[in-house]
Amino acid sequence: MHGLGNDFVVLDARASGEAVTPALARALGDRNRGIGFDQLAVIRADGAGPVRVDFWNADGSAADACGNATRCVARLLMAESGGDSCDLETGRGRLLARDAGDGLIAVNMGAPQLTWEAVPLAHAMDLDALPIEGDPGAAGMGNPHCVFVVPDAETVDLATIGPGIEHHPLFPERTNVEFVQVIDPATIRMRVWERGGMVTLACGSGACAAVVVTARRGLTGRKVTVRLDGGELLVDWRDDGVWMTGPTALVFEGRLSAEFLAALR
């Protein structure tokens, strides 16, 4: 599946109950020998209550949140139930998703994390002016984000700058890196280097973090259209959390072969 080209493998592990390992995540994420993805989303049952969804990066590391993948999983679960809303339990907490009509899925990504411990950062500092060249801001959305406001997002060399910021010592769990150009108070242009080592066409949690940072600086309002390389998301920072709305696409369904799985053992 994908949301604006932000692409995912979605594994439904509810029937098997088998745990995903870092080795399996890396193998699936290999675009030459596996399938390839920006994130892996694993649907699993945790007894009563909402379905649990776990997220993995292509390098085999775990993530607590992925906004666009959450919207993709929500689409599957709503199609399965016939309903127009669903709850998902994630490392970010319980998230509410709903069918927004016209092929759009909305998810409430929860309140932004706006203390240095929650992002997390290495030590106490001003989240709106990190001591990094370019004066980025930080926000947590269940995963860490470092947001730069730049004059022209198109000219940023993501592949050169992104890795150094991802691994900056101020971010003990590494970070996603967003470069944001403010078009007007209701529109921003954003490009992203995603934690795990890649340029992605879109990042839902990153779009949420970008709006939080620019709104806190007074550069935008709290309801903003975010223009990404893959298309547009609408982010609305409300009292009950940061809502993110956009399209999803189901590309194909299949099964992993016994040969592929045996090679991991």
Side-chain angles (χ1 to χ4, degrees), residues 15-260:
S16 69
E18 294 185 12
V20 170
T21 64
L24 176 57
R26 286 193 297 272
L28 286 173
D30 187 324
R31 294 189 184 274
N32 296 303
R33 296 178 176 86
I35 301 172
F37 57 72
D38 291 336
Q39 263 82 37
L40 169 67
V42 182
I43 306 172
R44 60 185 181 87
D46 260 350
V51 168
R52 170 81 190 190
V53 186
D54 296 331
F55 303 105
W56 296 80
N57 298 313
D59 64 0
S61 60
D64 284 336
C66 181
N68 282 327
T70 299
R71 294 192 306 102
C72 286
V73 172
R75 170 181 166 172
L76 295 179
L77 295 177
M78 285 187 281
E80 180 181 282
S81 69
D84 59 6
S85 66
C86 66
D87 286 334
L88 302 94
E89 193 68 43
T90 72
R92 173 75 168 117
R94 185 172 294 187
L95 304 181
L96 170 64
R98 61 179 178 82
D99 186 337
D102 296 323
L104 303 177
I105 303 293
V107 61
N108 183 351
M109 293 296 292
Q113 296 159 310
L114 296 174
T115 64
W116 71 270
E117 302 99 328
V119 171
L121 298 171
H123 54 81
M125 67 190 75
D126 182 357
L127 267 63
D128 292 319
L130 301 185
I132 298 174
E133 184 178 358
D135 298 320
M141 291 301 309
N143 51 6
H145 295 271
C146 181
V147 181
F148 291 82
V149 178
V150 297
D152 186 353
E154 307 296 339
T155 63
V156 175
D157 186 347
L158 293 176
T160 299
I161 300 173
I165 303 299
E166 176 189 352
H167 294 275
H168 195 285
L170 285 183
F171 293 93
E173 297 181 4
R174 297 179 293 135
T175 186
N176 300 280
V177 189
E178 288 81 30
F179 296 90
V180 174
Q181 175 184 349
V182 177
I183 306 300
D184 59 52
T187 314
I188 62 175
R189 171 74 172 104
M190 187 186 98
R191 299 177 65 219
V192 59
W193 172 268
E194 199 146 336
R195 183 174 61 164
M198 70 192 76
V199 175
T200 56
L201 295 179
C203 177
S205 61
C208 294
V211 171
V212 168
V213 169
T214 56
R216 280 167 57 88
R217 291 184 175 185
L219 300 175
T220 66
R222 291 165 63 114
K223 186 173 184 178
V224 178
T225 296
V226 183
R227 296 177 180 168
L228 301 128
D229 287 345
E232 294 185 351
L233 292 170
L234 177 65
V235 175
D236 190 1
W237 182 11
R238 307 177 192 172
D239 291 341
D240 66 343
V242 184
W243 284 84
M244 185 254 298
T245 303
T248 63
L250 175 62
V251 180
F252 71 89
E253 297 177 342
R255 292 179 176 272
L256 300 176
S257 71
E259 176 186 7
F260 177 82

